[in-house]
Amino acid sequence: MNAFSYFSRVSGQAISVDHIFFALTALSAVIAGMVFLLIAVFSVRYRAGSVAPRGRLPKELEIGWTVATFFLFLFIFWWAAANQLGALEHPRQNLDIHVVAKQWIWKTQQPNGIREINEIHAPVDTPVRLVLTSQDVIHSMFLPALRIKQDVLPGRTTYLWFTARKPGIYHLLCAEFCGTEHSRMTGRLVLMSKSDFARWSASQQPSETMAAQGEKLFRSLGCSGCHGANSTVHAPDLSGVYGRAVHLSDGRVVTADEAYLRDSILLPGRDVVAGYKPEMPSFAGIVKEDELVRLLAYLKSLQDKPVINQRGEIK
Ligand code: CUA
């Protein structure tokens, strides 16, 4: 495996970011060079007593260079913006790796339950999505070899996507001053070939998948008492809820994504489902961040099971 390197480029995104960076640097160098050259030429040409013509320049010259630089800047804006937006497009099938930041470590967990501290193992040539949240203050996940960075916020879920091309060990850094030991909040991104990754996963022997751990929490926290299949309490059925459109009592329709499910657990009174009373107590302060991601993993796992509606029809 490669040594740590700041200058490795291990994804298509990293290469396009570098192209923009080097093009902007080259353009700045050319313009700075032109300015210095003109200073030198003009100070000789228009020195005191020289007979060089000093009349007005034609107007077209000024219009010309203004328009030319305007289009140049428009092009740079389009190029960089298209690249940034392109990095937000992602395939629906990702390997989801959950990351919880806390002062001053990164806790990560793979879908199959493997937990790591300050380390992310991931396969190359596979779309990976990092699902990020913080347990305390604002952190920032920075993976320089992939040229990607994303703030990690308490009480919110943010994402990073990448498809790496080159196996190796790369830096994983916190890029937001988050307290006295911020500078030591570092780790390793370990990119492996698909077969090495499969071997590594097998050798870790996770006790349970994240979804299975979430299901246990779903019971122990008492969620199943109301949301379970045999419950007599009138609470929304959660099978297949992830990714579905949910009609709320105030007429809004929202998609049950991670953020919605998370808010429903911590702020249940805010987005009440149409036809239900706001009876659920808040679990803020009761469930920890890493428990929340496991609960969400469980709720997501329910989407694969058939959904039975009130008339007993299987959808
Ligand atoms: Cu976490 Cu800086």
Side-chain angles (χ1 to χ4, degrees):
M1 282 201 184
N2 304 353
F4 275 89
S5 171
Y6 275 108
F7 300 108
S8 308
R9 310 193 288 187
V10 296
S11 65
Q13 165 72 6
I15 292 169
S16 9
V17 168
D18 283 5
H19 285 164
I20 295 172
F21 174 77
F22 290 126
L24 286 177
T25 308
L27 187 66
S28 309
V30 167
I31 290 178
M34 262 164 60
V35 169
F36 283 109
L37 188 73
L38 286 176
I39 289 174
V41 170
F42 289 169
S43 40
V44 174
R45 188 161 178 201
Y46 297 107
R47 68 190 185 280
S50 85
V51 290
R54 287 157 205 267
R56 289 184 142 230
L57 285 170
K59 225 190 235 161
E60 291 72 26
L61 196 69
E62 179 147 10
I63 293 172
W65 77 53
T66 308
V67 171
T69 43
F70 173 72
F71 280 106
L72 183 65
F73 281 116
L74 262 190
F75 166 74
I76 292 170
F77 173 76
W78 166 82
W79 188 19
N83 183 266
Q84 281 296 302
L85 294 176
L88 299 177
E89 273 167 29
H90 60 99
R92 281 195 80 94
Q93 287 302 318
N94 321 275
L95 172 67
D96 267 359
I97 300 178
H98 289 261
V99 179
V100 176
K102 80 176 260 217
Q103 288 169 320
W104 290 276
I105 56 165
W106 301 99
K107 297 192 281 186
T108 69
Q109 191 168 24
Q110 310 256 345
N112 58 10
I114 298 174
R115 282 194 233 179
E116 302 183 80
I117 299 280
N118 293 338
E119 240 171 43
I120 298 176
H121 282 72
V124 296
D125 299 324
T126 306
V128 175
R129 181 171 76 149
L130 301 180
V131 182
L132 308 157
T133 190
S134 164
Q135 203 169 303
D136 38 45
V137 299
I138 300 176
H139 303 269
S140 181
M141 164 73 76
F142 180 31
L143 300 168
L146 294 160
R147 310 286 190 272
I148 51 174
K149 182 163 76 173
Q150 170 64 50
D151 276 5
V152 183
L153 310 165
R156 258 170 72 178
T157 310
T158 50
Y159 306 93
L160 267 181
W161 288 268
F162 63 84
T163 305
R165 303 284 174 217
K166 216 165 94 189
I169 301 175
Y170 306 99
H171 283 284
L172 183 169
L173 304 169
C174 180
E176 177 78 40
F177 182 68
C178 55
T180 46
E181 283 180 49
H182 152 73
S183 63
R184 294 170 67 184
M185 194 168 162
T186 59
R188 305 196 308 166
L189 171 69
V190 183
L191 298 175
M192 313 165 98
S193 68
K194 282 182 178 177
S195 55
D196 281 350
F197 181 74
R199 222 170 297 136
W200 173 81
S201 293
S203 72
Q204 296 296 304
Q205 287 169 339
S207 45
E208 282 170 307
T209 64
M210 276 182 81
Q213 292 172 7
E215 187 171 10
K216 273 197 186 148
L217 283 167
F218 193 74
R219 295 227 183 77
S220 64
L221 290 163
C223 315
S224 57
C226 298
H227 292 286
N230 305 318
S231 163
T232 52
V233 180
H234 186 54
D237 175 23
L238 299 179
S239 47
V241 69
Y242 179 69
R244 205 163 61 183
V246 178
H247 295 262
L248 301 181
S249 53
D250 59 6
R252 278 179 302 141
V253 180
V254 296
T255 304
D257 54 7
E258 270 107 356
Y260 169 79
L261 293 175
R262 175 196 179 87
D263 285 356
S264 299
I265 296 168
L266 301 178
L267 306 161
R270 204 178 72 178
D271 296 325
V272 178
V273 180
Y276 295 91
K277 274 183 267 167
E279 289 174 312
M280 175 170 157
S282 166
F283 282 79
I286 298 170
V287 282
K288 295 198 217 81
E289 268 317 320
D290 42 347
E291 293 179 331
L292 261 177
V293 296
R294 269 170 252 154
L295 273 176
L296 294 188
Y298 169 62
L299 293 179
K300 281 155 89 174
S301 74
L302 295 175
Q303 68 181 325
D304 303 320
K305 297 180 185 165
V307 183
I308 301 171
N309 69 15
Q310 281 156 329
R311 273 171 273 144
E313 295 157 344
I314 298 174
K315 285 196 211 167

